[in-house]
C-alpha cells in the first residue's frame, strides 16, 4: 500500500501540483470576468512572473552548493516582486485597455500577450529563443510544491469566497450585469474594472513565479496565446458565474489528458482499445470537452448547482439526479 | 456465484500474460511529440524508433531477451514532456529516447537526472542540453557543429565569395539561434558580413530586405527561417536578380519548400547531420526498411531516432556480455543499478549507426565523425525536386 502510494505520488505529483496551478490561473482570468471584462491577459502576467523568478534565481542569487535546495524565503521574495511588477504593469495596461469592451478588449489583451512574447524572444535578459534554464529547485520532488501551491489555492478560495459576498464583489457583479445601471448607482466602473484586472494579474504573476521553478525552465513558449485559450476553456467549461467553476474547470481539464493516459496503460485491455486510448487520447479529450459544453452550457458548476449544498434540502425543492461533481476544498 | 466466476476469469486474463513470459522484455521509453504543432517531427521519430525496435528484436534483442518500446506522447509543451517522462519512469523503463524539443529537454531532463534514468535526446540541438546532468546525452549534433559545414561547402563551390548577406526569422526560436552560428562562421572564415536582415515567419513580402541586401552586392546569402517564408525569400531574391549562392538553414531542410520557390529553389545549399546515401551497411539496411514502409527516403529525424534506440540496444548487449543483466537482480535496487550501469556503458561505447560512427563525450555530447551538405536540384517541371548530397 505504501509502495503504491509513493509510486502514485512520484508519477502524479507533477500533475497534482499542475492542477492547483491551473485552478489559480483560471481564477486569474475569472477575476476580470467578474466585472464582465473578457480579458485574456493573465498568461502574459504569468509569463512575466515566471521570467522574474527565473532571472532572479539564476542570475541574482548566488549559485547553490551541490546537494542543497533553493531557499524557500527567496522563493517568497520572487513571488512578492512578481506580484508587485504585475500589479504595476496591470495598472499601466489596464487603465487604457479597459476602456475597450467585449471582443475589442479580448483582442487588445491578446495583443498584450503577444507583445510580451515577442519581447522575450528578443531580449538578452530573457534568454531569447532558448529561454532561461537550470532554474534551482526549492524541493527535491515535484509533489512537495504542494506545500506552496495548496496554501496559495486555499487562500485564493477563502479570498474569492469573501470577495463574492463583499461590497467590492457586489460592485463587480453589478458591473457585469449592467454597467450603465451600476454607474448610475454610483459605482466607479474604471476603478472596479482595473481593480479586478490587477487582482487577476497579481495572482497570475505569483503562479508564474512558482511555475518557473516547477518547470525547471522558462521560455517564450510559456504564457502564450495558446494558454490564453486553454485558461478561457477552464473558466467556460467549469462555469463562469462562480469561482468554483474556474477551480473545478482548471483541475479537471488539466487532469483529463493524464487520466486518459493512465487508462490506456491499464494492463489486460484488448490491444485495439489500448491502441485507441494511446493514439486517440487527445481526440477523446476534445470529444469530452465538446460533450461538456453541449450538456452543461452554463459550465459544470453553476450558482444554482452550489445552492443545493448551501442549505439542507427542503421538502419542496425537488431533488434532481445526483450531481456529477462535488467541489472539493 | 456467477459474479465470483467472472471475477476469477478476469483475474486469470490479467495474470496469465504475466505468468506466461519467462524473460520479460526490457522496456525502453520513447517520449516524443506525437501530437501538437511539433508532431511532424515527432512522428518521424516514432517511425525511426519503431523500425529500430522491430529490427533489433528480429536480430535477437539483447542476447535473446526482447526489447519493448513504450511510447508516451509529450505533445509540444514542457508540462507534457514532464508527464510523459514521469509515466515512463514509473513504468520501469531502463532509459528514455526523447524529448523532441530542446526547451522540453530543459524541463523534463532534470526529472530523469534526479530519478537516475539514462536519456538519449534524438533531436535537441540547443547549447546546454547534455550539461543538464550525467544521465543526459544526445545523438543529435548541436546546430553550432552542423551549420558551418554549409558555409565550407559554399566556399568550395565558389572560392570568390567575399561579401555575405544573412537573413533570419526574428520570431522563430531555432532560426534566431542558428543565425548566430552562421554569422560567427562567416566572420571566422574571414568573409565580410555585409548585412544582417530580419523578417518574420509570417511575412510574404521581402522586397525591402532583398533590396537592402542586393545593394551591397553579396556573393552568398544565408537564410534561417521556416519553409514557407524561407522559400518565398529565396524566390524574391532570385526574382530581384540575385545570382550568387544561397544557404538555407535547417528550417528549409524539407521538401515542403519546393512548391513555394519552385524552379527558383534550385541550388539551395543545406547542411545535414544525416545522409541516406551514406554507404554503411546499417544505414543501407535502415534505408531499405524505411523506403519499403514509407515509400520515400528516410529523413534525418527518423535516422536519429533509430540511432538512439540502437545505442540503447548495443549498450545493453555489451553490459549483458560483460557483467550480465541478471546480476543486477541480486542487488537491492535492480532497476536503479541497471540504469546507472547502462548510462556508464552508453557514454563509454562507440556505435556504428546510420548517422555514421558516433560516440559520446563524458558530458553526453555526441561525437559524430561525418556531416553532409546537400544541394537542392529541381526537376524540369519546376514542382518536384530532390536533395543531392555534395559533401
Amino acid at each position: 500500500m505504501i509502495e503504491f502510494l509513493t509510486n502514485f505520488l512520484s508519477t502524479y505529483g507533477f500533475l497534482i501540483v499542475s492542477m492547483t496551478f491551473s485552478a489559480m490561473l483560471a481564477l486569474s482570468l475569472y477575476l476580470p470576468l467578474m466585472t464582465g471584462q473578457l480579458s485574456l491577459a493573465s498568461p502574459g502576467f504569468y509569463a512575466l512572473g515566471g521570467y522574474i523568478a527565473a532571472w532572479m534565481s539564476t542570475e541574482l542569487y548566488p549559485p547553490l552548493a551541490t546537494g542543497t535546495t533553493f531557499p524557500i524565503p527567496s522563493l517568497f521574495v520572487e513571488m512578492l516582486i512578481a506580484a508587485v511588477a504585475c500589479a504595476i504593469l496591470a495598472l499601466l495596461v489596464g487603465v487604457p485597455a479597459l476602456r475597450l469592451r467585449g471582443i475589442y478588449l479580448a483582442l487588445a489583451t491578446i495583443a498584450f500577450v503577444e507583445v510580451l512574447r515577442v519581447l522575450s524572444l528578443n531580449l538578452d535578459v530573457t534568454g531569447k529563443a532558448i529561454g532561461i534554464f537550470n532554474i534551482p529547485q526549492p524541493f527535491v520532488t515535484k509533489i512537495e510544491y504542494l506545500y506552496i501551491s495548496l496554501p496559495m489555492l486555499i487562500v485564493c478560495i477563502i479570498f474569492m469566497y469573501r470577495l463574492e459576498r463583499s461590497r467590492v464583489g457586489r460592485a463587480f457583479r453589478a458591473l457585469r450585469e449592467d454597467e450603465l445601471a451600476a454607474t448610475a448607482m454610483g459605482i466607479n466602473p474604471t476603478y472596479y474594472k482595473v481593480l479586478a484586472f490587477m487582482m487577476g494579474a497579481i495572482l497570475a504573476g505569483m503562479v508564474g513565479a512558482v511555475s518557473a521553478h516547477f518547470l525547471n525552465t522558462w521560455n517564450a513558449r510559456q504564457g502564450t496565446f495558446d494558454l490564453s485559450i486553454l485558461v478561457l476553456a477552464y473558466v467556460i467549461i467549469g462555469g463562469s458565474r462562480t469561482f468554483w467553476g474556474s477551480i473545478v474547470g482548471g483541475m479537471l481539464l488539466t487532469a483529463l489528458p493524464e487520466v486518459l493516459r493512465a487508462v490506456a496503460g491499464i494492463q489486460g485491455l484488448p490491444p485495439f482499445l489500448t491502441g485507441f486510448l494511446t493514439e486517440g487520447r487527445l481526440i477523446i479529450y476534445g470529444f469530452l470537452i465538446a460533450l461538456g459544453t453541449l450538456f452543461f452550457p452554463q459550465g459544470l458548476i453553476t450558482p444554482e448547482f452550489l445552492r443545493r449544498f448551501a442549505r439542507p434540502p427542503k421538502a419542496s425543492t425537488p431533488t434532481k439526479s445526483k450531481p456529477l461533481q462535488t467541489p472539493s476544498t | 456465484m456467477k459474479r465470483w466466476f467472472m471475477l476469477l476469469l478476469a483475474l486469470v486474463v490479467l495474470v496469465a500474460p504475466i505468468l506466461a513470459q519467462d524473460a520479460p522484455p526490457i522496456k525502453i521509453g520513447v517520449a516524443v511529440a506525437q501530437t501538437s504543432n511539433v508532431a511532424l517531427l515527432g512522428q518521424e521519430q516514432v517511425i525511426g524508433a519503431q523500425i529500430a525496435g522491430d529490427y533489433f528484436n528480429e536480430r535477437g534483442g539483447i542476447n535473446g531477451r526482447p526489447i519493448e518500446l513504450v511510447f508516451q506522447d509529450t505533445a509540444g509543451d514542457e508540462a507534457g514532456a514532464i508527464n510523459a517522462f514521469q509515466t515512463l519512469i514509473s513504468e520501469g523503463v531502463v532509459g528514455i529516447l526523447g524529448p523532441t524539443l530542446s526547451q522540453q529537454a530543459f524541463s523534463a531532463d532534470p526529472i530523469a537526472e534526479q530519478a537516475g534514468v539514462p536519456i538519449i535526446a534524438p533531436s535537441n540541438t540547443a547549447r546546454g542540453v547534455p550539461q543538464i546532468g550525467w544521465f543526459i546525452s544526445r545523438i543529435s549534433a548541436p546546430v553550432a557543429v552542423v551549420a558551418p559545414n554549409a558555409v565550407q561547402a559554399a566556399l568550395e563551390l565558389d572560392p570568390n565569395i567575399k561579401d555575405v548577406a544573412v537573413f533570419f526569422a526574428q520570431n522563430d526560436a531555432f532560426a534566431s539561434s542558428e543565425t548566430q552560428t552562421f554569422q560567427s562562421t562567416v566572420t571566422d572564415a574571414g568573409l565580410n558580413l555585409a548585412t544582417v536582415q530580419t523578417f518574420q515567419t509570417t511575412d510574404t513580402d521581402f522586397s525591402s530586405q532583398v533590396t537592402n541586401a542586393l545593394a551591397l552586392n553579396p556573393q552568398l546569402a544565408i537564410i534561417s527561417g521556416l519553409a514557407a517564408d524561407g522559400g518565398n525569400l529565396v524566390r524574391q531574391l532570385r526574382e530581384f536578380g540575385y545570382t550568387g549562392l544561397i544557404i538555407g538553414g535547417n528550417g528549409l531542410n524539407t521538401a515542403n519548400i519546393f512548391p513555394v520557390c519552385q524552379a527558383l529553389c534550385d541550388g539551395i545549399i543545406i547542411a545535414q547531420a544525416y545522409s541516406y546515401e551514406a554507404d554503411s551497411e546499417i544505414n543501407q539496411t535502415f534505408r531499405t526498411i524505411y523506403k519499403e514502409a514509407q515509400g520515400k527516403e528516410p529523413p534525418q529525424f527518423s535516422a536519429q531516432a533509430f540511432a538512439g534506440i540502437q545505442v540503447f540496444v548495443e549498450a545493453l548487449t555489451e553490459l549483458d556480455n560483460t557483467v550480465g543483466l541478471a546480476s543486477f537482480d541480486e542487488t537491492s535496487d535492480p532497476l536503479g543499478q541497471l540504469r546507472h550501469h547502462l548510462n556508464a556503458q552508453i557514454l563509454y561505447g562507440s556505435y556504428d549507426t546510420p548517422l555514421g560512427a558516433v560516440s559520446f563525450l563524458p558530458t553526453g555530447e555526441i561525437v559524430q565523425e561525418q556531416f553532409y551538405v546537400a544541394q537542392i536540384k529541381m526537376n524540369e517541371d519546376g514542382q518536384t525536386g530532390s536533395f543531392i548530397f555534395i559533401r
Side-chain angles (χ1 to χ4, degrees):
Chain A
M1 185 62 201
I2 285 177
E3 194 189 349
F4 168 79
L5 208 62
T6 23
N7 202 6
F8 178 84
L9 285 182
S10 73
T11 311
Y12 292 109
F14 177 83
L15 180 66
I16 294 166
V17 179
S18 298
M19 284 163 67
T20 59
F21 285 154
S22 299
M24 284 186 276
L25 273 182
L27 280 181
S28 76
L29 196 139
Y30 172 74
L31 273 159
L33 206 62
M34 279 176 83
T35 63
Q37 305 301 308
L38 177 58
S39 153
L40 299 177
S42 53
F45 296 108
Y46 169 75
L48 177 67
Y51 272 120
I52 288 172
W55 180 78
M56 283 179 71
S57 57
T58 52
E59 300 285 333
L60 204 62
Y61 292 128
L64 294 173
T66 37
T68 52
T69 51
F70 187 72
I72 306 221
S74 308
L75 178 65
F76 286 136
V77 173
E78 289 170 9
M79 287 167 68
L80 188 71
I81 292 178
V84 172
C86 287
I88 294 171
L89 186 65
L91 192 65
L92 293 177
V93 173
V95 173
L98 293 171
R99 289 168 180 273
L100 302 168
R101 276 180 210 175
I103 194 86
Y104 300 102
L105 175 67
L107 276 177
T109 49
I110 290 171
F112 165 76
V113 170
E114 200 57 11
V115 165
L116 285 185
R117 186 182 72 89
V118 173
L119 267 180
S120 50
L121 270 180
N122 284 284
L123 293 177
D124 278 324
V125 66
T126 54
K128 292 191 174 168
I130 296 294
I132 301 172
F133 51 91
N134 257 336
I135 299 177
Q137 294 297 303
F139 302 109
V140 178
T141 59
K142 290 292 175 194
I143 186 76
E144 287 172 77
Y145 275 88
L146 220 50
Y147 290 135
I148 303 275
S149 71
L150 198 61
M152 258 176 99
L153 183 62
I154 291 171
V155 169
C156 283
I157 289 174
I158 297 171
F159 179 81
M160 293 304 295
Y161 185 84
R162 295 300 310 150
L163 181 72
E164 286 197 342
R165 283 153 186 79
S166 71
R167 189 169 173 275
V168 177
R170 284 194 298 272
F172 284 178
R173 204 176 318 146
L175 280 169
R176 179 176 66 189
E177 301 299 335
D178 191 332
E179 190 174 331
L180 219 61
T183 320
M185 288 194 297
I187 294 171
N188 179 348
T190 315
Y191 173 80
Y192 284 106
K193 282 185 199 169
V194 174
L195 184 67
F197 187 70
M198 276 175 70
M199 289 198 288
I202 290 170
L203 181 57
M206 286 167 67
V207 174
V210 191
S211 290
H213 290 274
F214 183 58
L215 283 181
N216 297 313
T217 179
W218 203 252
N219 53 46
R221 289 150 38 83
Q222 310 305 323
T224 57
F225 176 62
D226 291 5
L227 185 67
S228 299
I229 296 304
L230 197 62
V231 176
L232 184 63
Y234 296 161
V235 176
I236 303 293
I237 304 277
S240 59
R241 291 175 56 222
T242 159
F243 75 94
W244 287 112
S246 307
I247 292 174
V248 172
M251 291 196 158
L252 209 61
L253 290 197
T254 308
L256 201 52
E258 295 310 312
V259 171
L260 291 172
R261 195 201 290 271
V263 170
I266 294 174
Q267 297 283 316
L269 288 180
F272 78 91
L273 196 61
T274 313
F276 177 66
L277 285 168
T278 323
E279 311 274 322
R281 188 167 62 94
L282 295 181
I283 299 176
I284 302 171
Y285 178 59
F287 188 68
L288 287 176
I289 289 183
L291 277 187
T293 40
L294 270 178
F295 288 99
F296 301 91
Q298 302 282 329
L300 295 172
I301 312 289
T302 57
E304 294 75 32
F305 175 82
L306 288 177
R307 219 161 287 150
R308 284 189 225 159
F309 298 94
R311 284 177 235 123
K314 290 172 198 159
S316 58
T317 26
T319 39
K320 286 183 188 163
S321 59
K322 228 183 158 190
L324 274 175
Q325 258 81 37
T326 37
S328 54
T329 39
Chain B
M1 190 61 210
K2 201 174 171 189
R3 196 180 292 165
W4 281 109
F5 178 72
M6 293 303 281
L7 205 68
L8 208 69
L9 199 72
L11 208 69
V12 167
V13 170
L14 284 174
V15 173
I18 303 169
L19 294 177
Q21 289 163 348
D22 42 356
I26 293 182
K27 288 182 181 176
I28 300 172
V30 181
V32 294
Q34 289 169 267
T35 59
S36 88
N37 56 352
V38 202
L40 281 180
L41 310 180
Q43 278 159 6
E44 288 185 347
Q45 295 173 325
V46 169
I47 296 169
Q50 273 168 340
I51 291 176
D54 295 343
Y55 173 73
F56 289 108
N57 270 339
E58 257 170 47
R59 295 184 23 153
I62 319 287
N63 294 333
R65 198 168 156 189
I67 58 163
E68 180 193 344
L69 299 185
V70 187
F71 290 87
Q72 284 295 348
D73 174 27
T74 63
D77 62 337
E78 284 72 7
I82 293 182
N83 280 324
F85 270 47
Q86 295 276 26
T87 309
L88 287 173
I89 291 168
S90 48
E91 264 181 69
V93 299
V94 293
I96 299 174
L97 181 80
T100 306
L101 296 179
S102 298
Q103 289 103 326
Q104 291 180 308
F106 289 128
S107 192
D109 284 356
I111 308 259
E113 172 70 21
Q114 200 185 24
V117 180
I119 300 296
I120 295 180
S123 57
N124 305 157
T125 51
R127 188 170 46 86
V129 171
Q131 285 75 19
I132 293 171
W134 185 69
F135 282 97
I136 318 298
S137 0
R138 66 171 156 203
I139 196 90
S140 48
V143 59
V145 179
V146 184
N149 293 286
V151 180
Q152 299 307 326
L155 281 172
E156 280 168 20
L157 288 175
D158 179 5
N160 298 323
I161 293 174
K162 279 210 304 286
D163 301 303
V164 184
V166 171
F167 302 79
F168 75 97
Q170 207 182 4
N171 61 334
D172 182 63
F174 189 80
S176 50
S177 67
E178 187 187 53
T179 194
Q180 298 298 331
T181 303
F182 274 129
Q183 289 177 27
S184 55
T185 312
V186 165
T187 26
D188 291 350
L191 303 173
N192 173 31
L193 187 60
T195 175
V196 178
Q197 298 284 332
T198 59
F199 58 94
Q200 305 281 320
T201 48
T202 45
D203 285 354
T204 48
D205 176 17
F206 303 93
S207 44
S208 69
Q209 289 96 330
V210 170
T211 316
N212 283 340
L214 293 193
L216 301 164
N217 203 14
Q219 295 90 42
L220 175 66
I222 303 180
I223 301 170
S224 294
L226 299 179
D229 47 315
N232 266 317
L233 178 52
V234 168
R235 202 181 71 205
Q236 291 178 24
L237 266 172
R238 292 297 188 207
E239 284 170 354
F240 274 74
Y242 175 69
T243 51
L245 290 171
I246 298 178
I247 291 177
N250 204 34
L252 282 73
N253 193 2
T254 157
N256 295 337
I257 69 165
F258 297 163
V260 185
C261 46
Q262 300 182 353
L264 297 177
C265 295
D266 203 73
I268 300 175
I269 300 165
I270 300 173
Q272 314 276 341
Y274 167 69
S275 162
Y276 53 76
E277 286 182 348
D279 57 1
S280 69
E281 194 192 327
I282 182 85
N283 180 50
Q284 287 311 319
T285 316
F286 167 67
R287 183 185 178 185
T288 316
I289 302 175
Y290 186 95
K291 252 181 130 172
E292 266 170 28
Q294 305 291 323
K296 56 178 187 184
E297 298 289 356
Q300 182 180 312
F301 281 100
S302 301
Q304 286 172 330
F306 182 97
I309 297 294
Q310 184 185 354
V311 168
F312 274 126
V313 171
E314 288 185 2
L316 280 165
T317 311
E318 186 57 31
L319 202 58
D320 195 30
N321 290 342
T322 48
V323 286
L325 293 185
S327 68
F328 295 112
D329 295 338
E330 290 149 24
T331 59
S332 58
D333 176 19
L335 192 56
Q337 286 294 318
L338 174 57
R339 285 166 170 170
H340 187 91
H341 282 84
L342 173 60
N343 195 58
Q345 182 61 45
I346 287 172
L347 294 176
Y348 177 74
S350 56
Y351 312 88
D352 182 27
T353 70
L355 307 174
V358 300
S359 56
F360 297 94
L361 294 177
T363 53
E365 184 67 271
I366 184 178
V367 182
Q368 188 173 348
E369 281 173 7
Q370 197 155 13
F371 293 100
Y372 309 89
V373 178
Q375 195 167 21
I376 292 177
K377 176 90 187 105
M378 295 303 290
N379 298 333
E380 283 193 0
D381 60 4
Q383 297 292 328
T384 55
S386 51
F387 288 87
I388 306 294
F389 283 87
I390 56 171
R391 206 178 124 107

